[in-house]
Amino acid sequence: QVQLVESGGGLVQLGGSLRLSCAASGVIVNMYTMDWYRQAPGKQRELVAQISSDSNTYYDDSVKGRFTISRDNAKNTVYLQMNSLKSEDTAVYLCHAQRVYGYWGQGTQVTVSS
């Protein structure tokens, strides 16, 4: 059974930092394309960052230079380091694993307050 469990969300002040974690079981993260998506109220889910099985990374323009995706193979965990947070980063952040099938975590709330 595949489980993706996100953690690390919370309330942070404008300009602050958070590190999200996605602990995986049932998939080996370095064999999958691992993504972080986010969904704000009333908006579509959007891809924020991605790391491929060969460690290529992708970032949405809105987070480029502020967010960093990484992977710890020993812990089978993917991270999203978020710096210089803005109010528009407020959303539920979801971890996604994609190979033949795609799997989703439940999400973790990130709220940036001014």
Side-chain angles (χ1 to χ4, degrees), residues 27-34 52-54 71 73 76 78:
V27 298
I28 299 174
V29 296
N30 65 357
M31 296 180 69
Y32 280 69
T33 295
M34 299 298 299
S52 68
S53 56
D54 55 0
R71 185 175 63 207
N73 295 335
N76 209 35
V78 176

Side-chain angles (χ1 to χ4, degrees), residues 19-78:
R19 189 178 79 154
L20 306 183
S21 300
C22 171
S25 57
V27 298
I28 299 174
V29 296
N30 65 357
M31 296 180 69
Y32 280 69
T33 295
M34 299 298 299
D35 310 305
W36 283 100
Y37 282 76
R38 67 185 178 190
Q39 187 161 22
K43 293 190 176 181
Q44 285 193 331
R45 190 170 291 185
E46 62 176 357
L47 177 63
V48 174
Q50 180 181 85
I51 184 166
S52 68
S53 56
D54 55 0
S55 299
N56 290 321
T57 56
Y58 161 85
Y59 297 95
D60 185 78
D61 284 345
S62 64
V63 307
K64 215 171 276 185
R66 300 188 298 121
F67 290 11
T68 304
I69 189 169
S70 62
R71 185 175 63 207
D72 185 329
N73 295 335
K75 294 182 178 179
N76 209 35
T77 298
V78 176

